[in-house]
Amino acid sequence: MSTIEKPSVSAPLELLNIPSLLTEEQRDIQHTVAEFLADRVRPHIGQWSENHYFPRDLVPELGKLGLLGMHLNGYGCAGVDAASYGLACLELEATDSGLRSFVSVQGSLAMFAIWRFGSEDQKQEWLPRLAAGQAIGCFGLTEADFGSNPAGMRTRAVRDGADWILHGEKMWITNGSIADIAIVWAVTEEGVRGFLVPRGAPGFSARDIDNKLALRASVTSELTFDDVRLPDSARLPDAHGLRAPLTCLDEARFGILFGAVGAGRDSLDSALAYAESRVQFDRPIGAFQLTQQKLADMAIDLNNSMLLALHLATLKDKGAVGPVQISMGKLNNVRAALAIARQCRTIFGASGITSDYSPLRHATNLEAVLTYEGTAEIHALTIGRALTGHAAFSG
Ligand code: TGC
Ligand code: FAD
């Protein structure tokens, strides 16, 4: 009598052989980051998130691994290609969006702003330390009354002799209270300009937002600038207008569209393992058709997101990616990851609402990711404007 062998099982991203699309160097980088995180983060992340704790002592280790500003060239940065940076973000967010947020803000917002718009002195002073994780940066664009519409910002910088006087408040700033240097965007008589405000500058204070239900393993703060006096050398000389901070956002949004795939992948991996081990009605729940329908749909969505991310990385390396393509990637991949994390949560039944399993933590984190760096609606309107020629952002 012949026996029917159980077919072998595949990890979701192996179904389309995604690793075959990567170079050996890209696979090595991804593997190195994943190994580090498995050792230093995975065993603790559930607890850190529950305790509202950001592991600040890991920052120099992230620097040593070359993850901070890794897509920038020079000044102690690794200068890797777009997919390598994306894959690092993917692995970081597979552990927790908070950790990827830290790396995004440090490398793609604070460091990129200095790298792209700063003076040589500013680059020499800050970039090597930020790359090594010996200093932390933050990026203050949003204000309490101006989130999606930063053009309305009220924070002002006024000339006073050779100096500037900075006055205003920024809200929802990742890394705010732990930052050694804040990149702050303010209105001046000549339009929006960026300023480097060091920790401890008289009049500069930060207060943490402690009641977050998402991104609990990340620091989010309110920044106050009460007539902070800054020399002109603190201004980013090449940043003119709102285009400058929005250009930084494109960099960070690119990392997020890869990162979201990581949160989705981790949710699906956990759900697959649970579906095999959990028995109801004398069968593993993964043997029920309805569970398999969920798993199949999620595997397709995850692979689609990954293919989109890799396509955008190829375009980015060719200098052929713009805000509209980034909006398509960020909107699609975050929305897909959020749907995957929520659906995975259902597979765990009651256990899924505890901190023993990752999908609900990923889902709550992804609620914040769906909102920051441009809300889902703002990205939809950016795509809509490209399709129709009509800007529907205001009246
Ligand atoms: P408009 O005011 O007309 O444009 C101003 C200038 O900016 C240019 N621009 C862009 N440039 C580069 N990249 C982009 N994505 C750009 N979007 C616009 C634009 O061409 C113009 O240039 P110029 O030279 O003509 O002056 O604005 P708009 O109508 O083009 O854009 C409006 C809108 C709503 C899309 C924009 O304001 C926007 O993106 N709003 C969302 C704000 C946002 O995403 N904030 C994020 C804050 S940082 C953050 O959330 C960090 S979370 C970090 C983490 O923890 O990971
Ligand atoms: P609002 O702009 O008030 O939007 C509220 C709702 O209205 C949304 O659904 C939005 O899509 C919708 N809406 C707004 N305008 C329109 C429109 N024209 N058409 C249709 N719908 C519209 N900012 C920084 O500068 N630096 C940071 O480091 C940073 N880190 C963050 C970390 C976290 C955890 C969070 C949650 C936010 C962070 N932000 C940061 C702020 C973030 O970028 C803003 O929250 C985001 O841009 C949305 O702004 P808002 O929250 O004021 O929402």
Side-chain angles (χ1 to χ4, degrees):
M1 197 174 71
S2 65
T3 54
I4 300 174
E5 279 190 23
K6 194 178 165 203
S8 62
V9 294
S10 302
L13 291 175
E14 282 166 16
L15 292 176
L16 291 184
N17 202 358
I18 297 285
S20 70
L21 301 177
L22 308 178
T23 64
E24 202 179 326
E25 193 189 345
Q26 289 163 350
R27 282 197 295 265
D28 283 350
I29 289 174
Q30 183 175 13
H31 181 70
T32 304
V33 178
E35 271 200 326
F36 167 80
L37 295 167
D39 179 38
R40 300 288 284 118
V41 175
R42 276 196 182 273
H44 316 290
I45 187 62
Q47 203 63 50
W48 289 343
S49 177
E50 221 176 316
N51 295 345
H52 217 313
Y53 171 75
F54 171 72
R56 194 176 169 171
D57 52 330
L58 279 186
V59 173
E61 295 184 54
L62 297 174
K64 213 175 259 176
L65 267 180
L67 298 184
L68 306 177
M70 71 188 290
H71 60 309
L72 307 179
N73 281 307
Y75 307 97
C77 304
V80 298
D81 62 19
S84 297
Y85 171 55
L87 291 163
C89 290
L90 186 157
E91 292 303 333
L92 287 158
E93 195 144 0
T95 59
D96 194 84
S97 303
L99 208 60
R100 197 272 308 137
S101 260
F102 174 83
V103 168
S104 290
V105 170
Q106 179 90 349
S108 287
L109 293 182
M111 291 176 71
F112 180 81
I114 298 171
W115 183 84
R116 173 72 180 74
F117 301 112
S119 67
E120 191 54 35
D121 282 351
Q122 289 167 343
K123 292 177 193 180
Q124 296 286 355
E125 180 178 2
W126 287 106
L127 291 179
R129 290 164 62 196
L130 290 163
Q134 286 157 6
I136 291 176
C138 72
F139 182 92
L141 178 64
T142 303
E143 300 181 0
D145 293 333
F146 299 96
S148 296
N149 179 25
M153 71 174 74
R154 291 204 187 102
T155 298
R156 298 196 71 81
V158 178
R159 286 247 187 218
D160 185 42
D163 293 342
W164 292 89
I165 306 294
L166 181 69
H167 193 89
E169 285 171 357
K170 296 289 175 182
M171 188 67 178
W172 301 112
I173 307 305
T174 302
N175 300 345
S177 67
I178 57 171
D180 300 285
I181 188 74
I183 313 299
V184 182
W185 300 94
V187 180
T188 71
E189 274 194 350
E190 296 100 48
V192 171
R193 297 290 182 268
F195 294 88
L196 271 58
V197 186
R199 174 205 284 280
F204 173 24
S205 58
R207 189 180 62 84
D208 283 345
I209 300 166
D210 284 327
N211 59 348
K212 288 181 300 168
L213 301 177
L215 279 180
R216 292 174 61 81
S218 169
V219 174
T220 316
S221 319
E222 181 178 1
L223 309 183
T224 302
F225 306 95
D226 188 6
D227 288 342
V228 177
R229 180 173 288 277
L230 297 167
D232 192 45
S233 59
R235 185 175 52 85
L236 292 169
D238 293 335
H240 302 291
L242 198 58
R243 175 179 282 275
L246 294 179
T247 300
C248 302
L249 297 188
D250 292 336
E251 294 297 305
R253 290 167 178 172
F254 175 79
I256 290 173
L257 68 89
F258 266 90
V261 181
R265 188 198 67 191
D266 186 66
S267 299
L268 189 47
D269 284 347
S270 318
L272 281 163
Y274 190 80
E276 182 57 25
S277 65
R278 176 71 176 169
V279 173
Q280 287 292 288
F281 300 97
D282 302 322
R283 305 192 72 190
I285 58 172
F288 295 125
Q289 290 181 352
L290 289 177
T291 308
Q292 290 194 7
Q293 177 78 67
K294 291 179 186 177
L295 296 170
D297 285 344
M298 291 191 287
I300 291 169
D301 289 346
L302 189 72
N303 277 279
N304 283 342
S305 296
M306 188 67 199
L307 290 171
L308 176 56
L310 289 172
H311 174 62
L312 292 175
T314 305
L315 292 185
K316 192 170 195 297
D317 283 334
K318 289 182 184 158
V321 77
V324 176
Q325 291 78 39
I326 299 276
S327 282
M328 290 176 77
K330 200 252 176 184
L331 174 57
N332 182 75
N333 287 9
V334 176
R335 195 164 56 184
L338 180 54
I340 288 171
R342 284 178 182 152
Q343 184 71 287
C344 286
R345 208 289 308 155
T346 69
I347 291 176
F348 289 86
S351 306
I353 69 156
T354 69
S355 57
D356 292 344
Y357 298 101
S358 65
L360 187 58
R361 175 168 51 79
H362 285 308
T364 54
N365 283 341
L366 287 163
E367 293 287 351
V369 179
L370 193 71
T371 286
Y372 69 36
E373 295 280 3
T375 65
E377 292 78 8
I378 290 299
H379 290 297
L381 293 175
T382 300
I383 299 163
R385 178 171 59 182
L387 289 170
T388 67
H390 297 292
F393 297 106
S394 62

